[in-house]
Amino acid sequence: QVQLVESGGGLVQPGGSLRLSCTASTSAFGIATMGWYRQAPGKQRELVARITSGGSTNYADSVKGRFTISRDNAKNTVYLQMNSLKPEDTAVYYCNGYPIYWSWGQGTQVTVSS
């Protein structure tokens, strides 16, 4: 069973930055399109960013220009660099394939508040 382990969340003030990491325990990581998703309280989970195996990226309009997704296939890890954070970015962040391939991990909480 594939395990997805997210880390790097925390409490940050508006305008601050965080870098999230997600490691996947699957040899298929290198050929998979990977995505970062988030779920805010009372809202549906949404796709924030995705990256193909070749490194092409795509972002939700709400984070474009502020977030950067990247990956290290040798480490089976995908990253999300989040800059200029806003209170509306507060959510639990998850990674998974795109489309969704595997069971969800535990996620990592990001709270943007002064």
Side-chain angles (χ1 to χ4, degrees), residues 4 19 76 80 98 103 105:
L4 301 170
R19 188 192 193 208
N76 276 20
L80 188 67
Y98 178 83
S103 297

Side-chain angles (χ1 to χ4, degrees), residues 12-86:
V12 63
Q13 293 187 340
S17 298
L18 284 173
R19 188 192 193 208
L20 307 184
S21 300
C22 170
T23 301
S25 63
T26 172
S27 59
F29 178 89
I31 61 171
T33 294
M34 293 298 297
W36 278 99
Y37 303 77
R38 68 185 180 187
Q39 187 167 21
K43 294 187 177 181
Q44 289 190 329
R45 197 168 304 186
E46 62 174 348
L47 177 68
V48 172
R50 66 181 192 261
I51 183 168
T52 68
S53 58
S56 296
T57 59
N58 189 274
Y59 299 92
D61 287 343
S62 59
V63 306
K64 203 170 292 183
R66 300 188 297 121
F67 290 10
T68 302
I69 188 171
S70 61
R71 65 191 296 163
D72 185 338
N73 290 339
K75 296 182 179 180
N76 276 20
T77 299
V78 60
Y79 304 97
L80 188 67
Q81 177 67 44
M82 306 187 296
N83 299 328
S84 302
L85 283 161
K86 304 176 180 180

